[in-house]
Amino acid sequence: MTTAAAAPRLRGGPWPAFAARRLARFAVSLWALLTAAFLMIHLVPGDPVRAALGMTAPAELVAARRQALGLDDPLWVQYGHYLRGLVTGDFGTSMVSGQPVAQVIGDRLPSTLQLAVLAFAVVVAVAVPVGVGFAVLTRGGRRRGGELAFTSVSVFLAAIPEFLVGVGLVALLAVGLGWFPVAGADDVSGYVLPVAALAIGPAAVLARIIRVELLSVLGADFVRTARAKRLPARLVYVRHALPNALTATLTLGGLMLTSMVAGTVLVENVFAWPGLGSTIVQSIVTKDYPLVQGIVLVYGVGVLLVNLLVDVVLGLLDPRSAIREA
């Protein structure tokens, strides 16, 4: 991919087959996700309603809840009701609170999305300039000390799990120094530590990838040509070199966004964040399987949509990916 690459042709060529394969893969993955989520309740050992209500719950209450949830119907009938419910936005009813699962998810999802999107924005804002800067400073084997320091620090930060980063930040900056609240999302300061806990590791990984990818194109002919034209360094690196290093970066960025959404499960529990992550942990503890099922679906569909979006954007930025598959 170069900046002079022709715009991809969306009609004809490999694009219809590329789009058809991506949509077919998405449809199959979505069906597998829906089916696995449906079977989750039925694979739980014992009676999930009894497990949710407790062993001392009256038999009449357990029977009534089973009937209300449709668990006495044949499995294929339940599967049909389940799929029809999803089409109409009915995710079922919580076994513990009796609230519609869709309502619980709707109340908690915005907090999780805010946390994940803010963290991803911080990752991009930090990783791109750091990766580009160290690629320029260390190209051609220059400044070996800086390269060693960058590699050591980034590997160390990337190796620490999010929840350990969160616990460390709480101990140092919230409990020790009192600069930020320990938990909650009552004001802007409450976002700082959870966003940092989610963003530090992925930012280190993405900066490493950007540096390596950029180093591989800085010696290319089109970059030497840009230098020979005496273009400003900013244009050489940002306009000509960086776009050609984005293929692997964009792929990894999409995977990072999905892993960060999944990482909110642990981080939200560390900071008592009012999102889906803390809710699914509470639901697992209370064996509220319809709620767990609904949240798993939301996380899974989010991952599938992000992967589909990354594939499409990659195909638009680098038509060779579609051509190679064809």
Side-chain angles (χ1 to χ4, degrees):
M1 178 178 64
T2 71
T3 53
R9 295 176 58 189
L10 299 182
R11 293 183 179 179
W15 278 96
F18 176 78
R21 281 194 301 272
R22 287 294 180 271
L23 290 176
R25 184 184 304 173
F26 176 81
V28 171
S29 301
L30 181 61
W31 172 79
L33 172 67
L34 298 179
T35 304
F38 166 75
L39 294 175
M40 185 175 66
I41 289 182
H42 301 277
L43 294 176
V44 175
D47 186 348
V49 177
R50 171 66 71 181
L53 297 180
M55 299 307 295
T56 59
E60 296 79 8
L61 176 60
V62 174
R65 187 62 60 89
R66 284 186 60 83
Q67 185 178 13
L69 295 172
L71 294 177
D72 293 330
D73 295 332
L75 193 61
W76 63 272
V77 174
Q78 294 183 47
Y79 189 56
H81 289 161
Y82 166 75
L83 294 180
R84 281 195 295 272
L86 292 181
V87 172
T88 60
D90 182 7
F91 285 65
T93 304
S94 168
M95 289 182 179
V96 176
S97 66
Q99 287 183 296
V101 171
Q103 178 183 338
V104 178
I105 292 175
D107 292 340
R108 299 300 184 99
L109 181 60
S111 295
T112 296
L113 289 180
Q114 284 177 1
L115 186 60
V117 172
L118 279 174
F120 187 70
V122 170
V123 167
V124 174
V126 172
V128 172
V130 170
V132 172
F134 274 94
V136 173
L137 291 174
T138 61
R139 67 187 173 89
R142 296 182 299 178
R143 297 182 178 85
R144 299 304 296 266
E147 179 182 357
L148 180 62
F150 171 76
T151 303
S152 302
V153 172
S154 60
V155 168
F156 173 74
L157 294 176
I160 308 176
E162 293 97 338
F163 74 94
L164 281 183
V165 176
V167 171
L169 292 175
V170 168
L172 177 63
L173 300 180
V175 178
L177 299 175
W179 291 352
F180 302 99
V182 175
D186 297 330
D187 53 31
V188 176
S189 63
Y191 285 75
V192 175
L193 296 186
V195 168
L198 272 177
I200 288 176
V205 174
L206 194 59
R208 284 173 55 86
I209 298 298
I210 291 174
R211 174 181 169 272
V212 172
E213 290 294 314
L214 197 57
L215 285 175
S216 68
V217 301
L218 285 180
D221 291 341
F222 66 90
V223 175
R224 285 198 293 269
T225 302
R227 288 201 191 98
K229 292 180 179 178
R230 299 184 180 278
L231 294 179
R234 175 178 57 82
L235 294 181
V236 173
Y237 295 127
V238 176
R239 179 177 294 179
H240 293 275
L242 184 59
N244 292 279
L246 285 180
T247 302
T249 303
L250 186 58
T251 303
L252 183 65
L255 296 175
M256 277 186 175
L257 179 57
T258 58
S259 68
M260 289 170 69
V261 171
T264 58
V265 173
L266 297 176
V267 172
E268 285 185 6
N269 278 276
V270 172
F271 294 96
W273 193 262
L276 287 181
S278 55
T279 304
I280 193 173
V281 172
Q282 295 168 7
S283 304
I284 292 173
V285 172
T286 59
K287 298 181 173 57
D288 193 350
Y289 296 115
L291 191 50
V292 176
Q293 187 182 54
I295 296 175
V296 167
L297 272 181
V298 171
Y299 274 108
V301 171
V303 170
L304 293 179
L305 287 175
V306 170
N307 287 333
L308 178 63
L309 179 63
V310 169
D311 285 343
V312 172
V313 173
L314 272 178
L316 292 172
L317 291 178
D318 186 2
R320 293 173 301 178
S321 60
I323 295 173
R324 278 196 296 267
E325 287 195 2

